[in-house]
Each structure stands twice: as C-alpha cells, then as structure tokens.
Amino acid sequence: MALSREQVAMRVAQELQDGYYVNLGIGIPTLVANYVPDDIEVMLQSENGLLGMGPYPTKADLDADMINAGKETVTAAKGAAIFNSADSFAMIRGGHVDLTVLGAFEVDQNGNIASWMIPKKLIKGMGGAMDLVAGAKNIIVTMTHASKHGDSKLLEACSLPLTGVNCVKKIVTDLAVLEVKDGAFHLLERAPGVSVDEIISKTAGKLLVDGEVPEMVF
C-alpha cells in the first residue's frame, strides 16, 4: 500500500544526522519535526526567522504568535533562536543549511525540481524555495509518485517552471525512496506491499533497478 503523509515524514526523518541544520518546507516536510530520532540533535529552521523548531504544539502549548513559514503554529525547541527574515535568508544563502526537505509538483531524472507554480493557477508567490535549493548542501523531495489522475511526477524533463536545476539528491514518495544521479532515478527502497513493477509503471523518467529492492522499515 502507498504510504500515508505521516509515514513519508517518518522515512525522511531517518535521513537526519546529528548536528544537522535542517529547513522543512510547507506540507509533508513540516511533519518531519514530529519524528526526529531521540538519539540525535538537529536544529530545524524556518525561513521566517526561527531556528530550533519543535514538534507541533498540543492545545496546552499552543502560541498563536509562534508560526512557521506556512503560518502553522509550532513550538520552539530548547536552545531555539528567533530572528528576522533577512538574517534567516543570510543563513540559507550563506550555505549554512545542511539539508532542505521540500515538496514538489515534478522532479526529473537530472535532479531538476518544479515546485512553485502551475501556469494559469493562482499562486501566492515563489516563497523561499529558490534560495533553499541554491543554498542548501542537500535536497530531499517529498511527493506523491503520481498525480490524482495517475500521471507520473518523476519525469524525463520537468514541464512546469523550474525552482532549481540539478539540485535534488533524493526523493521519498508514497511508493518509494529514490536517489537521483547520473541522469537517472535509482530505486533504493519500496513502500511495504508495493511492487517494483508498480513503481516502474508510475515513473516516466529513466529508472534503474539494481537487484533486490528492500521494503522501507519504520
């Protein structure tokens, strides 16, 4: 079966390493804050000016003035710092973010990402994604493998306006974990109960499968 949003976030959380500074984008990426492993310490950054995000608040912890870049209420972890947006983007543009987790409309086999607009649809703006994909040391994308109409989101070439070029290193979808390198998607893991054949059928770009593909473990 395809993974839930929470399971995708749980799998992404396994990519975190002790001491990382991590930016979490809007949508599924924000859920990663709830699944940071207990044996590591990471600092989660929000581009609106918070370094040290904690998990989503309970009713008792809720503070309407404490929000992330998606205007969701969040908590501050021990040692958190609050600063203005200009300083936040100086941190991003200065290359001080180890990992960015972003959602996307499309990713192609060369690591290009389209995440900020669909032509002829109303958008709020490009947000901070273009700075993040240019400034972060590593980019992981979370997304559904295919659209609600069944069209693949993993393409030979993106059809939508690009957010960044040759920047995506890894993708966690509701069906699989894939690495992007050498002009192809490399299948690393599959969701429990999902066959390799299903993943192949829903991947429009070049997909390489090397031997047995293990199921994800949570």
Side-chain angles (χ1 to χ4, degrees):
M1 292 180 63
L3 300 182
S4 67
R5 291 163 53 89
E6 289 74 17
Q7 287 174 313
V8 172
M10 290 171 65
R11 178 57 188 84
V12 172
Q14 296 177 20
E15 301 293 317
L16 304 178
Q17 296 184 26
D18 190 45
Y20 263 16
Y21 291 93
V22 182
N23 182 282
L24 301 178
I26 297 169
I28 293 175
T30 59
L31 299 175
V32 175
N34 291 332
Y35 303 108
V36 176
D38 293 334
D39 59 344
I40 67 171
E41 183 175 335
V42 299
M43 293 296 279
L44 302 178
Q45 191 239 22
S46 180
E47 63 256 37
N48 60 322
L50 173 60
L51 179 63
M53 280 191 296
Y56 280 112
T58 63
K59 286 186 178 181
D61 298 328
L62 193 147
D63 179 351
D65 292 325
M66 180 69 70
I67 61 172
N68 62 17
K71 298 180 177 61
E72 299 172 307
T73 52
V74 295
T75 60
K78 182 179 179 181
I82 297 172
F83 37 86
N84 66 38
S85 182
D87 288 335
S88 183
F89 276 90
M91 179 180 178
I92 293 166
R93 294 170 184 173
H96 304 294
V97 175
D98 297 294
L99 171 66
T100 288
V101 184
L102 292 173
F105 299 130
E106 299 173 344
V107 176
D108 70 30
Q109 64 195 38
N110 291 306
N112 301 326
I113 177 175
S115 68
W116 71 281
M117 76 168 293
I118 297 176
K120 298 183 180 179
K121 288 196 174 183
L122 180 66
I123 60 170
K124 295 181 179 179
M126 65 184 68
M130 291 184 180
D131 287 280
L132 287 162
V133 297
K137 299 171 186 175
N138 189 15
I139 310 295
I140 295 177
V141 167
T142 66
M143 61 194 300
T144 55
H145 211 96
S147 71
K148 61 183 179 181
H149 304 295
D151 298 321
S152 178
K153 294 184 177 182
L154 303 174
L155 307 175
E156 182 178 352
C158 290
S159 63
L160 297 173
L162 296 182
T163 308
V165 175
N166 303 129
C167 57
V168 177
K169 301 293 193 302
K170 188 171 284 188
I171 306 164
V172 180
T173 76
D174 56 339
L175 302 182
V177 178
L178 308 103
E179 185 179 11
V180 185
K181 64 178 182 181
D182 303 326
F185 300 110
H186 297 252
L187 183 57
L188 303 181
E189 300 174 21
R190 55 192 174 89
V194 173
S195 69
V196 172
D197 286 341
E198 180 179 355
I199 295 167
I200 291 173
S201 71
K202 294 182 177 179
T203 306
K206 183 179 180 181
L207 176 64
L208 300 181
V209 182
D210 185 12
E212 290 292 322
V213 180
E215 290 188 347
M216 298 180 208
V217 177
F218 299 100

